[in-house]
Amino acid sequence: MPTLDASTHQALARELHEAERAREPVTQFSRRYPGMTIADSYAISQAWLALKFAEGRRVIGHKIGLTSRAMQVAAQITEPDHGTLLDDMLVADGATLEASRFIVPRLEVELAFILGKPLKGPGVTLFDVLDATAWVTPALELIDGRIELFDRDTGAPRKVFDTIADNAANAAVILGGRPVKPEAIDLRWAGALLYRNGVIEESGLSAAVLNHPGNGIAWLANKLGAFDEGLQAGEIVLAGSFTRPVACAAGDVFHADYGPLGAIGVRFV
């Protein structure tokens, strides 16, 4: 249950909106409001989305985060989190991005599910997800921090409450490579090598995402179903990273090699 009132949710959402515009992070909400709950965090995120909708943005999908066991232990939670993808977050494969557009940009390696049918819980299973998925394609998620990653006074890392309020840290998504039907390959064994300036920084297999990346999609459909919401046909759903985040800076060139699923490239200036 939320412990903060709606006016506080809205005020903190406005802080996030201004932080993104000014490229200047705000202090951690969890330290300012130590009694806040995860329900408060989602309410703040929804209030921020309302500001974006008022400016003409539209939903194109969703992201799932904190899907690996290691990340959940580090964040002291027992389930993933989720955020919303908006139309201005979609970046073309091979694009050149200005690093100064973001605050602390980092890339994660994922698979994206493109839905051909709607999904709504309760009771959505992995089999329902595979049946509803039109395509699975490689994706890079660019995450950012509108809330300080480390407190400016104490150096304490931010908590999951901050990350969720910050729209699960989402900033952009790059789709590329070779789309495949979900039954075409064993998605657990889909993997990637992430190169930064010709050096492999990270590698991994998508089985690290809840044993199968489709399990995250099922989790999200059931989570949203509790609020009478669901996933829509045509939406992009990022299943969760199977590598740690890799920092990005001006001059960096990234190449994500997914083997038989192709590759994605992006450059920062």
Side-chain angles (χ1 to χ4, degrees), residues 211-265:
N211 194 45
H212 190 295
N215 284 327
I217 315 299
W219 171 85
L220 179 57
N222 290 323
K223 190 76 172 178
L224 294 176
F227 301 94
D228 198 29
E229 299 174 10
L231 306 175
Q232 305 305 315
E235 288 188 334
I236 301 163
V237 187
L238 297 180
S241 178
F242 49 87
T243 68
R244 69 176 179 87
V246 176
C248 312
D252 285 341
V253 177
F254 286 88
H255 174 77
D257 180 358
Y258 284 77
L261 295 187
I264 307 175

Side-chain angles (χ1 to χ4, degrees), residues 90-93 108-114 135-141 173-181 185 187 190-193 206 236-240 242 255-265:
L90 193 59
V91 174
D93 182 18
E108 294 183 335
V109 177
E110 315 201 9
L111 292 177
F113 285 61
I114 315 301
W135 300 97
V136 178
T137 195
L140 293 176
E141 183 186 2
V173 57
I174 305 132
L175 302 182
R178 173 191 163 212
V180 296
K181 294 292 186 179
I185 63 170
L187 292 171
L193 307 172
S206 66
I236 301 163
V237 187
L238 297 180
F242 49 87
H255 174 77
D257 180 358
Y258 284 77
L261 295 187
I264 307 175

Side-chain angles (χ1 to χ4, degrees), residues 185-220:
I185 63 170
D186 184 346
L187 292 171
R188 298 175 308 136
W189 287 94
L193 307 172
L194 180 62
Y195 293 80
R196 178 175 59 187
N197 305 325
V199 177
I200 296 177
E201 294 284 351
E202 277 295 319
S203 63
L205 292 174
S206 66
V209 178
L210 301 174
N211 194 45
H212 190 295
N215 284 327
I217 315 299
W219 171 85
L220 179 57

